[in-house]
Amino acid sequence: MNTSLLLQLLVNGVIVGMLYGIVAMCFVLIYKSTQVVNFAQGEFVVLGAWVCLSLVVSLGLPFWLAFIFSLVFMMIFGILVQVILLRPLVGEPVISVIMATIGLSIFMQATMNWIFGNNAVRFPQVFDQATVSIGGLNVETAYLMSLVLSLVVMGLFFWFFQYSRWGLAMRATAWNQQIAQSLGISVGRVFAMAWAISAVVSGIAGVVIGLVSAVSNSLAIIGIKVFPAVIVGGLDSIVGAIIGGLTIGILENLAEFVDGQYLHVGNMYSVAPFYVLLIILMIKPYGLFGTPDIERV
Amino acid sequence: MAHVPNPRPTGDFRVSYAADRTLFKTRNETYFVIAGVLLVALAPLFFGGYVLSQLILIGIYAIAALGLNVLTGMTGQISLGHGAFFGFGAFASAWIASRGIPVMFAIPLAGVMTMAVGMVFGIPAARLKGLYLAIATLASQYILEDFFARADWFTGGTYGSLAETASFFGYQLDSDASYLYLVLFWVIVSFVGVANLARTRDGRALVAVRDHYLSAEIMGINLTKYRILSFGISSFFAGIGGALYGHYLGFVSGEGFTILLSIEFLAMIIIGGLGSVSGSLLGAAFILLLPQAMEIFANAVATVVPAIAQGTAYIKQMSVGAAIILFLVLEPEGLVHRWRLMRASWKLYPFSH
């Protein structure tokens, strides 16, 4: 048994899992507050990364400025998507809403392919030091930043929902729209805000992934990987999304390890999460932390 | 579905239940359908390869879309794995035919095989609905895609597998003109089959499951049975469509059966009209012809704005995405609904009701 490889893969799993968790959180946020499943979440991630990258590369902006600009762009984009595309579909059956976001995802994919090209592009050197030494262990700065940013985002989420006025409004809306409305909460604004936050955080995740590896349209697969994560955690639990993301990240890398060392079937990395997804759906359809949907007649 | 007036011709009274449940509502409708079939059957006399190949592809996609319409339109269950079932049918038929069974029998056998696979993947549907089901079928899409790449004995792995040419009692169906008749035969069988299904107890049970599954269960409909059955029927038609597709191309490779194909099938039934038999055909034609129309359009624009030229491939994909979104926002009931509105206003002219 190759322990150092296993350890390396586990660390990878945690870092990737954190990112899955963040994107899953965005996904859950939208689902919880607007009852929309966003199949274009992966494209949101990629869009954020591309915008930041092209600001850095073509306009020559410093990284942090480009990062902030791209987040502002994502915020506006998220609001526009909600207002233009999803507001007319409020009250339509589930399938229409799902298809609308699927249509959006196809459209965004093609548009981004056209504008930004099909190739993977790396960020120019952003950090002065490529690696940082922590307790004798060399860690890539990008990985470290990814971990730190993930934790910061999670902390901000927690603070926002627990203590801020708008967070309370969003929780109220998620719990019961009619009651929230009767208490003077503008549900329309809450919806727009959910999409804005989700787009911004997806953008952050995109930039971080872009820093860790490279920016390419194939990153959108993260939008698909998010499904096993949210199903493990439960579609409407934000904590569940993070735990689910971590689980799937680690599971992927473990599957890779077991496959590479013992099974040699290949491609387990990308398929294992889906087997887990099917099994969980059979045993615990509402995930680990989801609320069961009990219908009374 | 919003109400569209559909006045019957004067004197056309229904005096028995049987008369009220006929396949075609009016005599003109019957003539219209027969004329359509005849026109397609005569098409090889007038048109060349391109039109015929488009007709064949429309027919093939329409069969698969019809299957999805049984699942999504009639039973109200979303499937994001239809493209993979379509692919499974193609591989299954190529595999069966390579064992020495004539293609004529391989096609329905492939349908049955795909049906079995579809029912296995439909088992989660017994407990799930809505979003959770959509995600479960997404998993089946990826698992099947992985299977295509892995199962060398069945699919030829990454190389793909050869599908034999269809033959009819020794007569090779190797030209577009002759293959058109095979596809036309299956289109008629499938469409008449599904139109009839909607009139049977089972078909009504499926609709009841869609409309309100709890009430349906209280009425004595076995939910598990009908949900899995609906997956079975849907994958059967996906399998038939896939088999026809495989034998038409003569070569099957796993790359074509991605999530994008599944989405295109969903787009077909949404654009055509959910739950509408004829809508499946309209939607398949629309989704197949739209990218080509867009290509012609883009090429025309490119003569003026040369920058467009390299984006033709992207414009094709964008048009599909945009079509889905625009239909959902502007015409959620699909092309069939638009057609009904036009027919109603024609019949009622100059009155509006």
Side-chain angles (χ1 to χ4, degrees), chain B residues 164-242:
Chain B
E164 272 174 45
T165 325
S167 64
F168 187 66
F169 293 114
Y171 176 70
Q172 292 280 317
L173 301 178
D174 48 4
S175 67
D176 278 357
S178 51
Y179 204 77
L180 179 67
Y181 292 104
L182 180 63
V183 173
L184 185 63
F185 166 75
W186 277 107
V187 168
I188 294 171
V189 168
S190 324
F191 276 73
V192 170
V194 171
N196 271 320
L197 174 71
R199 306 190 296 156
T200 60
R201 182 191 185 277
D202 288 336
R204 287 194 301 273
L206 294 180
V207 174
V209 170
R210 174 194 71 190
D211 287 345
H212 201 246
Y213 76 104
L214 282 173
S215 314
E217 196 166 23
I218 292 165
M219 304 273 287
I221 290 167
N222 185 343
L223 279 187
T224 311
K225 178 185 150 194
Y226 280 103
R227 279 179 173 160
I228 295 180
L229 180 75
S230 147
F231 258 94
I233 297 172
S234 126
S235 349
F236 176 76
F237 287 116
I240 297 280

Side-chain angles (χ1 to χ4, degrees), chain B residues 98-178:
Chain B
S98 72
R99 321 255 103 188
I101 294 171
V103 174
M104 282 301 140
F105 301 112
I107 291 172
L109 276 177
V112 173
M113 254 176 99
T114 317
M115 181 173 172
V117 173
M119 282 164 109
V120 171
F121 279 107
I123 291 174
R127 288 189 69 187
L128 305 171
K129 56 189 198 317
L131 298 172
Y132 289 92
L133 182 62
I135 296 171
T137 55
L138 187 73
S140 65
Q141 164 80 32
Y142 281 95
I143 289 173
L144 274 179
E145 260 183 59
D146 181 53
F147 172 75
F148 294 156
R150 202 186 292 280
D152 284 342
W153 55 275
F154 184 64
T155 63
T158 42
Y159 303 108
S161 61
L162 291 171
E164 272 174 45
T165 325
S167 64
F168 187 66
F169 293 114
Y171 176 70
Q172 292 280 317
L173 301 178
D174 48 4
S175 67
D176 278 357
S178 51

Side-chain angles (χ1 to χ4, degrees), chain A residues 175-216:
Chain A
W175 184 66
N176 190 321
Q177 279 177 23
Q178 271 183 340
I179 295 178
Q181 214 158 15
S182 68
L183 289 174
I185 294 169
S186 160
V187 172
R189 202 174 294 171
V190 165
F191 278 17
M193 199 151 81
W195 278 83
I197 295 176
S198 174
V200 166
V201 178
S202 304
I204 296 179
V207 173
V208 168
I209 298 170
L211 282 176
V212 170
S213 53
V215 185
S216 76

Side-chain angles (χ1 to χ4, degrees), chain B residues 239-324:
Chain B
I240 297 280
L244 287 169
Y245 184 74
H247 290 295
Y248 177 56
L249 293 189
F251 177 74
V252 191
S253 126
E255 284 141 26
F257 310 118
T258 57
I259 179 86
L260 206 62
L261 182 65
S262 298
I263 292 172
E264 277 184 346
F265 281 129
L266 273 172
M268 284 173 199
I269 62 171
I270 282 186
I271 287 171
L274 276 179
S276 149
V277 174
S278 48
S280 311
L281 190 63
L282 287 179
F286 187 88
I287 284 292
L288 208 67
L289 299 179
L290 173 74
Q292 303 184 24
M294 287 311 288
E295 189 172 6
I296 295 168
F297 172 72
N299 286 337
V301 175
T303 54
V304 189
V305 192
I308 300 284
Q310 76 241 19
T312 317
Y314 306 126
I315 290 178
K316 280 158 79 172
Q317 203 193 339
M318 280 160 77
S319 67
V320 174
I324 297 175

